Amino acid sequence: MADVKNYGPKRLVVGAHYGTVDFIAQRITAIILAVYTLVLIIGLLVMPSFTYENWKSLFNFHVYALPVGQLLATLAFFALAWHAWIGVRDIWMDYVRNVGVRLLLQVLTILWLVGSVVYFAQILWRI
């Protein structure tokens, strides 16, 4: 009987992602969300009064013809959706053993996240 090593460069690795890409993606999305949170907090602190028009201008400011407020909010929301997908997908993969139930939960998660992104885009890009 052969001696099987489960460590080192000849170990048997199974799975689709091996974790590194997801690890880096979650860190990058977390940085994007942290920076956007700081931008929002600074915007709220310099806001003269908390009115609907001032709140709207926080997301609707332009630099030249570029809608910077909407682009930053969209980037942050996509980062949030991607961050949530990685985290929830890993929870389903780690704790749901039945493959059919796991697939169903992953599909429902994707549908929910895509629906949230579409709803967000409808609201943000109408203002």
Side-chain angles (χ1 to χ4, degrees), residues 113-126:
L113 287 171
V114 168
S116 297
V117 167
V118 168
Y119 185 60
F120 163 82
Q122 281 183 330
I123 291 172
L124 180 70
W125 288 92
R126 276 194 219 162

Side-chain angles (χ1 to χ4, degrees), residues 65-115:
L66 193 64
V68 176
Q70 291 170 322
L71 290 174
L72 289 176
T74 301
L75 174 67
F77 200 80
F78 277 121
L80 177 66
W82 192 7
H83 192 90
W85 164 244
I86 293 170
V88 173
R89 186 207 59 213
D90 287 350
I91 290 170
W92 298 147
M93 288 172 50
D94 288 345
Y95 297 109
V96 179
R97 295 291 176 211
N98 187 316
V99 177
V101 173
R102 183 184 326 143
L103 179 63
L104 175 68
L105 289 171
Q106 288 177 342
V107 167
L108 291 175
T109 302
I110 290 170
L111 290 174
W112 176 72
L113 287 171
V114 168

